[in-house]
């Protein structure tokens, strides 16, 4: 995990997102902000943005679950989008629409839904609209598991916020 984390810090998008934390008023020290640790066995995650008691947050990378440096970069980018949303907005993470919006942004802007990432997961993406389809699917899954909703409920809440949140590409200006 530590070796993958160090490699991820050299990624241009990760570096940019870390710098943007300070721009949004939440300066962080990368080595303290991103930690490697054990994640609960029952959670099928590789990383998470964690809320802290002081109202801040940090990123946890799950020890023993990271495949390689590229996987770690993608996970870190995803969680950093959540951290930026937490810093920039007064996020209510139990609000399904707010969570769905952050999940749409994180899946869109992190590289999770790049064509190559989809192919590596064994997905068979269509060439037409594959990015939007992937973002919508992954955001709905995250909302479903995070808030213990049905698949239909999570899809409905993602659909309700999708267009506005997909178009919010800050801090990049466009989908990288």
């Amino acid at each position: 995990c530590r070796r993958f984390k160090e490699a991820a810090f050299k990624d241009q998008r990760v570096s940019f997102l870390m710098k943007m934390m300070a721009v949004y008023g939440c300066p962080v020290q990368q080595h303290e902000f991103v930690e490697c640790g054990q994640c609960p066995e029952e959670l099928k995650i590789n990383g998470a943005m964690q809320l802290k008691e002081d109202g801040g947050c940090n990123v946890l990378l799950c020890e023993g679950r990271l495949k390689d440096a590229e996987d770690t970069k993608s996970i870190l980018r995803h969680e950093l989008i959540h951290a930026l949303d937490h810093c920039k907005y007064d996020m209510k993470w139990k609000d399904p629409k707010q969570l769905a919006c952050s999940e749409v942004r994180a899946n869109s802007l992190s590289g999770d839904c790049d064509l190559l990432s989809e192919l590596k997961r064994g997905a068979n993406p269509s060439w037409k609209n594959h990015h939007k389809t992937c973002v919508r699917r992954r955001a709905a899954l995250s909302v479903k598991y995070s808030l213990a909703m049905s698949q239909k409920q999570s899809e409905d809440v993602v659909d309700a916020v999708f267009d506005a949140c997909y178009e919010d590409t800050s801090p990049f200006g466009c989908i990288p």
Side-chain angles (χ1 to χ4, degrees):
C1 180
R2 283 162 183 63
R3 190 181 67 220
F4 293 156
K5 179 174 91 166
E6 291 305 316
F9 286 147
K10 295 175 185 164
D11 179 73
Q12 287 182 333
R13 280 193 271 173
V14 167
S15 296
F16 176 72
L17 291 167
M18 295 290 282
K19 288 177 186 159
M20 292 308 295
M21 291 291 293
V23 170
Y24 290 149
C26 302
V28 296
Q29 299 297 317
Q30 64 185 18
H31 292 285
E32 289 88 39
F33 186 70
V34 179
E35 19 180 91
C36 291
Q38 295 300 315
C39 293
E41 197 60 41
E42 66 274 8
L43 298 179
K44 303 299 181 208
I45 59 172
N46 296 332
M49 190 237 12
Q50 302 180 118
L51 300 177
K52 294 168 47 177
E53 287 184 18
D54 66 3
C57 66
N58 71 336
V59 173
L60 172 67
L61 296 174
C62 299
E63 201 75 69
R65 297 190 190 175
L66 306 172
K67 294 177 192 135
D68 54 35
E70 286 302 311
D71 182 50
T72 306
K73 287 177 197 176
S74 180
I75 293 164
L76 188 50
R77 288 184 209 129
H78 182 108
E79 300 308 333
L80 284 170
I81 296 295
H82 290 316
L84 279 168
D85 287 349
H86 183 73
C87 177
K88 187 176 179 182
Y89 307 110
D90 183 24
M91 293 294 293
K92 306 284 187 272
W93 293 101
K94 299 283 185 206
D95 179 314
K97 287 184 177 179
Q98 288 190 28
L99 175 62
C101 189
S102 191
E103 286 296 347
V104 166
R105 287 176 30 74
N107 281 291
S108 177
L109 302 173
S110 65
D112 287 348
C113 287
D114 293 349
L115 187 59
L116 186 57
S117 296
E118 278 282 80
L119 292 171
K120 280 182 180 177
R121 272 193 289 277
N124 188 13
S126 68
W127 291 102
K128 185 177 181 182
N129 293 323
H130 94 272
H131 190 263
K132 279 187 173 183
T133 302
C134 173
V135 169
R136 193 179 301 272
R137 181 187 79 245
R138 291 177 60 85
L141 280 172
S142 293
V143 170
K144 174 184 173 180
Y145 291 117
S146 295
L147 299 179
M149 299 175 104
S150 72
Q151 186 67 33
K152 172 85 168 94
Q153 289 172 313
S154 65
E155 288 170 356
D156 288 348
V157 76
V158 167
D159 287 345
V161 301
F162 189 83
D163 290 335
C165 300
Y166 187 80
E167 289 176 21
D168 180 0
T169 58
S170 66
F172 294 105
C174 65
I175 296 171

